[in-house]
Amino acid sequence: MSISGTCIEAGARVSDGIVDCSVNFRGKPSVRSSSGGWRSCGFIMGAEMTEKFAYYGIASNLITYFTGQLGEPTAAAASNVNLWVGTAAVLPLFWGFIADSFLGRFSTILVTCSFYILGLILLTFSATIPSMCKDQEALVSCVSQVKVTMFFCALYLIALGEGGFKACLRAFGADQFDEQDPDESRAKSSYFNWLYFAISFGILITRFVSNYIQENLSWVLGFGIPCISMVLALFLFLLGTNTYRFSSTRGEGRKHGNPFVRIGRVFVAAVKNRGETSSDSLHLLPNETSNKFGFLDKAVISCDSSEIEEARALLCIVPIWLCSLVFGMIYAQTFTFFTVQGSTMNRSITSGFLVPAATIQCFISLAIIVSIPIYDRLFVPLARSITHKPAGITTLQRISTGSFLLIISMVIAALVEMKRLKTAQHHGLVDSPKATVPMSICWLIPQYVLHGVSEVFAMVGLQEFLYGEVPVELRSLGLSLYLSVIGIGNFLSSILVLVIERTTSQSGQVSWLATNLNQAHLDYFYWLLACLSSISFVSFVYFSNSYVYNIQTKISDDHGE
């Protein structure tokens, strides 16, 4: 597919029929009435929803597979889950670079989808291999090396595909809205809300269906259904091809070089010209230039002022991104220790039916599904009438609200764990790791619900913020940065788990994260995360107060007034 074209000069009137800087699949100018908008996003959201069914069909109960089928200790299993989830969420940085510099988003989606489906097929096949050796004379019953090797190869092949698919698909969906059109500009803000709604709906279904099948019927079937779901995701995405808008700025932008190379040249020039006096360079800058990261102004001797502002924009979002990493660390607990915590509690609904511990994660999805319509249809219009901003409140205000709710979620988690430990002690179950603590798993619902509500504010807001604040040519990278918060947060969580495991188990003491949770102190771990969240929240508010939004965001705000 060849996409080419030029854009209307800034300030020119936007055509009612033709969308500026956009072409269709055949390379012809996009017609507003028959392309893009919610029409195209319906296919994209359908693909996103079915893809999330596939991903969470693996991720939400993965720790159970590690501790059960592969026989790993709890801490090691949690670390492995964190590493895998982290890898899947960091790889979008690589695929974002590939998409923005070479392949484009559409082609990258197709390439990564093939990796994704191949990994799911391999994972399903690995589950058919018997876990335990049948040799009765073996000193140990070992997990087949072929099974383990195939399992990990499949797992990381899925991560390779999922990392590129979700980053490019979300950015491609946002590309379907024209920012120069006031109505479509407002609709794009709602797009991020309803995209998260579709994602959460897919996650909710898989947590009800896949987790039950995996624990009660078959892991082969439990992995095979997500594979079929991913094939459906590809089908839905391709079904909307004729309605999609493709950015024509890619060909235009290449006249000015690769955006990564262009921005990198600014940093190199700033270092080379560091000896120049300010008077030699400042007169070359436009009057409206930002005074942040003033060392970049030295690059104006060798680079355009627009290139310097691109580099400055990337640097400005770094503190915001860093402050968000703690959210990723806490996000990791929903797949690991929250699930293990629930597995020790009373999960019975009737005398013959036990709720899988991972299924309780559905309350995160339910909280998101309920909260998003309330936020989009009630809160935003009310806030818009007061602030005159199209999104009601700024993205940074939205993120900070979610960060505060996350602190409360971890405090509740710590208090519930303290009660669970006291209940285990009261009934003499401290030395019985496999015994069921007579405390309903429903006690975990508040921490899951509050976590879900915090995602509606923090994660959706962060997604919109990073997409809108990076240079236009780097928007795949912008959403990749959002996803990397989860990825690096999982890596940090994995490191934190290993450090706590080693430091708290010295001198014969029982680790905070011991396999026997009735002897462990998971509550201490939650209190530590609550403290880290508080520090992150204060830092985030500090950097947010001095942040200046880019010009495109200001234009969107003007449209809303």
Side-chain angles (χ1 to χ4, degrees), residues 243-258:
T243 73
Y244 294 149
R245 295 174 184 171
F246 300 83
S247 174
S248 62
T249 58
R250 176 170 299 277
E252 180 83 357
R254 281 178 179 166
K255 295 177 182 178
H256 302 93
N258 184 296

Side-chain angles (χ1 to χ4, degrees), residues 185-186 387-395 549-561:
S185 178
R186 284 191 292 269
T387 64
H388 304 291
K389 295 180 181 297
I393 58 176
T394 66
T395 51
Y549 289 93
N550 69 22
I551 187 63
Q552 189 59 54
T553 304
K554 292 177 181 177
I555 291 174
S556 297
D557 286 346
D558 290 340
H559 284 158
E561 294 181 354

Side-chain angles (χ1 to χ4, degrees), residues 295-310:
F295 71 93
L296 292 177
D297 294 340
K298 301 293 182 68
V300 74
I301 298 175
S302 309
C303 306
D304 294 337
S305 60
S306 61
E307 295 175 345
I308 295 174
E309 289 307 306
E310 284 182 331

Side-chain angles (χ1 to χ4, degrees), residues 430-483:
V430 174
D431 297 320
S432 304
K434 295 185 178 181
T436 298
V437 177
M439 178 178 170
S440 174
I441 195 173
C442 292
W443 278 89
L444 299 182
I445 292 177
Q447 69 197 55
Y448 277 110
V449 169
L450 204 53
H451 185 95
V453 176
S454 70
E455 281 195 39
V456 172
F457 282 89
M459 298 310 287
V460 180
L462 186 64
Q463 192 171 201
E464 184 178 353
F465 171 78
L466 290 174
Y467 176 86
E469 293 303 300
V470 298
V472 174
E473 292 176 88
L474 300 180
R475 283 182 165 172
S476 295
L477 179 67
L479 283 182
S480 298
L481 285 171
Y482 149 75
L483 294 166

Side-chain angles (χ1 to χ4, degrees), residues 156-191:
Y156 282 90
L157 193 58
I158 291 170
L160 182 65
E162 200 264 348
F165 184 87
K166 63 185 177 184
C168 293
L169 188 68
R170 294 179 189 186
F172 190 71
D175 290 344
Q176 304 309 307
F177 297 96
D178 180 13
E179 292 179 336
Q180 297 186 42
D181 181 85
D183 292 334
E184 291 198 21
S185 178
R186 284 191 292 269
K188 189 179 73 173
S189 182
S190 289
Y191 159 76

Side-chain angles (χ1 to χ4, degrees), residues 408-529:
I408 302 175
S409 173
M410 292 314 303
V411 169
I412 292 174
L415 292 173
V416 170
E417 177 60 12
M418 289 174 65
K419 178 174 176 59
R420 192 195 67 82
L421 288 174
K422 288 180 180 179
T423 303
Q425 292 169 1
H426 179 73
H427 289 84
L429 301 176
V430 174
D431 297 320
S432 304
K434 295 185 178 181
T436 298
V437 177
M439 178 178 170
S440 174
I441 195 173
C442 292
W443 278 89
L444 299 182
I445 292 177
Q447 69 197 55
Y448 277 110
V449 169
L450 204 53
H451 185 95
V453 176
S454 70
E455 281 195 39
V456 172
F457 282 89
M459 298 310 287
V460 180
L462 186 64
Q463 192 171 201
E464 184 178 353
F465 171 78
L466 290 174
Y467 176 86
E469 293 303 300
V470 298
V472 174
E473 292 176 88
L474 300 180
R475 283 182 165 172
S476 295
L477 179 67
L479 283 182
S480 298
L481 285 171
Y482 149 75
L483 294 166
S484 72
V485 166
I486 303 299
I488 296 179
N490 272 269
F491 287 142
L492 293 176
S493 176
S494 182
I495 293 171
L496 185 62
V497 166
L498 292 176
V499 170
I500 290 176
E501 178 73 11
R502 291 183 180 180
T503 56
T504 61
S505 61
Q506 294 178 353
S507 304
Q509 295 180 340
V510 177
S511 167
W512 287 6
L513 309 175
T515 300
N516 182 357
L517 286 190
N518 296 334
Q519 294 180 346
H521 270 292
L522 192 56
D523 54 334
Y524 292 172
F525 180 59
Y526 289 160
W527 283 119
L528 175 60
L529 290 176

Side-chain angles (χ1 to χ4, degrees), residues 298-361:
K298 301 293 182 68
V300 74
I301 298 175
S302 309
C303 306
D304 294 337
S305 60
S306 61
E307 295 175 345
I308 295 174
E309 289 307 306
E310 284 182 331
R312 203 190 310 272
L314 286 181
L315 284 183
C316 284
I317 65 176
V318 169
I320 303 296
W321 178 81
L322 288 174
C323 292
S324 302
L325 292 179
V326 175
F327 195 105
M329 293 177 65
I330 295 175
Y331 183 86
Q333 311 318 314
T334 61
F335 296 120
T336 54
F337 289 112
F338 278 19
T339 301
V340 175
Q341 185 183 16
S343 67
T344 68
M345 304 170 75
N346 182 9
R347 297 180 283 128
S348 61
I349 294 180
T350 64
S351 58
F353 182 77
L354 289 178
V355 177
T359 299
I360 200 71
Q361 296 172 20

